[in-house]
Each structure stands twice: as structure tokens, then as C-alpha cells.
Amino acid sequence: MRQHVPLCAFALILSSVSVNGLATKVDRAPGMGFGGATVKKNYTPDTSPEAAALQSLLESHKRSIIDNVEIGFDKETNRRGLYATKTFGKEDAVICKVPSDLALALTDPNDVESTTTMAQRGLNFLSMYHDKRKGAWFEPYLNMLPQAVTETTPSMWEDDDIDLLEFPRLTKLSKERRDELRAGAKEAGVSIADLEYATWIVTSRAFPIRLS
């Protein structure tokens, strides 16, 4: 039996704004091939206690592979992301590996009939993780997340702003999602701002996996 379970995965939410991927710059002398390349950092390593705690958590899990990357800030944009510490070739193209049991399930994996809306996944994130973070094993993970919405989405806008998109399918979907969020917040007794934050987190950093 197969099921898609939405997960909020470490590998995707290390970044507070966006994941910049392989952001090292490689300089080569004239006529030199890849063997003569020297890697030049265009980022500043993140030495914060939060980054150190997350690094320690990942290192404590034997099946994690994080030796070839580090967390840092782009020198031009100051955006936090993952950066390569070595040059990767075709034979060693694994940047990092984080086991699925270090991900946070947003639905019950045992409920094969489970289907959730964006609002429900946001509410699950709040009740299952965000509100229980203090002292939990996943606290270092959540501490590296943005603590507030930094870039709004159309589902947070009012009608006049959504209509400016001038794309009927998108405006319809955005209004439906916004109304879904507001109804979900009212029914659950949470603030709209909190649910907007939670859905912003999970929609940008969660993905489904298939369980057999």
C-alpha cells in the first residue's frame, strides 16, 4: 500500500529565506582544468548558537551526511543557505543526506485515507511541533526557521490586490486558499497571522514522500 505523506524536511528548511545551493565560486588559472581549481568562498559561515545546535543534532544521527556543506550567509544578499565546502564531480554528487526519520510528518502516516488541505497542514505544524518545541528533539530545527513571514503570498492578500494578478485561475485559487485559511483559523481558535505563518512555512519547505 502506498501513501504520500507531507513532510517538513530538514534538508529544505535550513535556510531562513532561501536555499542558495552550491554557491562557492571557483577560480582557475589560464589553461588549467578542474584539477587546478581553487574554491573561493563568497559566503560567511553561520557561527550562531542556533546553527551549531542544528549541526550537532544532524551529526548525532549516524545516517546523516553533512560533511561537504555548511550553513552560511551570502556576502552580497546576506541570505542564509547551504554552501558546498568542496568541488563536486559526477562520481560524488551527493551534497548532503538527511534521513527521513529526521523529518517532521504533517499527517498521520498510518491513516491511509488521510487528505489534508493547506490550512490543515499549517494547523498540524502549529499543534504538533511549533507549540511543543521547547525542549523537544526538533527544537534546533525550528529555531533555524524564519520566525515571521518575510515574503507574503497571494493567499494573504485582500481581493483588490489579488485581482491585480489578472490571471483568472490564479486569482480564484488565491481567494479560495485565503478564505480557507481564515475559516480554518476561526474554527481552530488560532490567529490568522499564526496560521498564515505556519502555512507559509510548510508550503515552501514540505514535500510528499511515498510510503509502501
Side-chain angles (χ1 to χ4, degrees), residues 5-14 103-107 116-118 121-122 125 129 141 145 198-209:
V5 179
L7 298 176
C8 211
F10 277 87
L12 293 184
I13 67 170
L14 283 170
L104 308 180
L106 297 173
T107 60
T116 56
T117 64
M118 179 179 68
R121 290 191 292 273
F125 173 76
Y129 304 111
Y141 184 25
L145 288 171
T199 55
W200 177 70
I201 288 293
V202 301
T203 54
S204 61
R205 291 166 173 81
F207 63 95
I209 66 168

Side-chain angles (χ1 to χ4, degrees), residues 83-186:
Y83 295 87
T85 58
K86 58 169 282 187
T87 299
F88 289 87
K90 292 182 180 180
E91 301 300 321
D92 59 351
V94 176
I95 302 172
C96 61
K97 182 172 74 174
V98 180
S100 61
D101 54 353
L102 281 182
L104 308 180
L106 297 173
T107 60
D108 182 358
N110 298 313
D111 184 0
V112 297
E113 302 297 328
S114 176
T115 57
T116 56
T117 64
M118 179 179 68
Q120 288 170 331
R121 290 191 292 273
L123 289 169
N124 287 347
F125 173 76
L126 289 175
S127 63
M128 296 165 64
Y129 304 111
H130 186 271
D131 297 343
K132 298 177 180 178
R133 67 197 296 171
K134 192 65 176 177
W137 69 267
F138 50 81
E139 184 178 14
Y141 184 25
L142 299 192
N143 287 345
M144 286 293 287
L145 288 171
Q147 301 304 303
V149 174
T150 58
E151 298 172 349
T152 64
T153 64
S155 60
M156 302 176 188
W157 302 348
E158 297 299 331
D159 282 353
D160 290 346
D161 296 318
I162 294 177
D163 290 338
L164 292 174
L165 296 171
E166 297 183 348
F167 185 23
R169 288 179 57 191
L170 181 57
T171 56
K172 180 177 182 294
L173 180 61
S174 297
K175 291 177 182 179
E176 289 175 350
R177 287 186 171 181
R178 180 203 59 198
D179 294 343
E180 174 194 310
L181 286 181
R182 293 180 177 179
K186 183 177 180 180

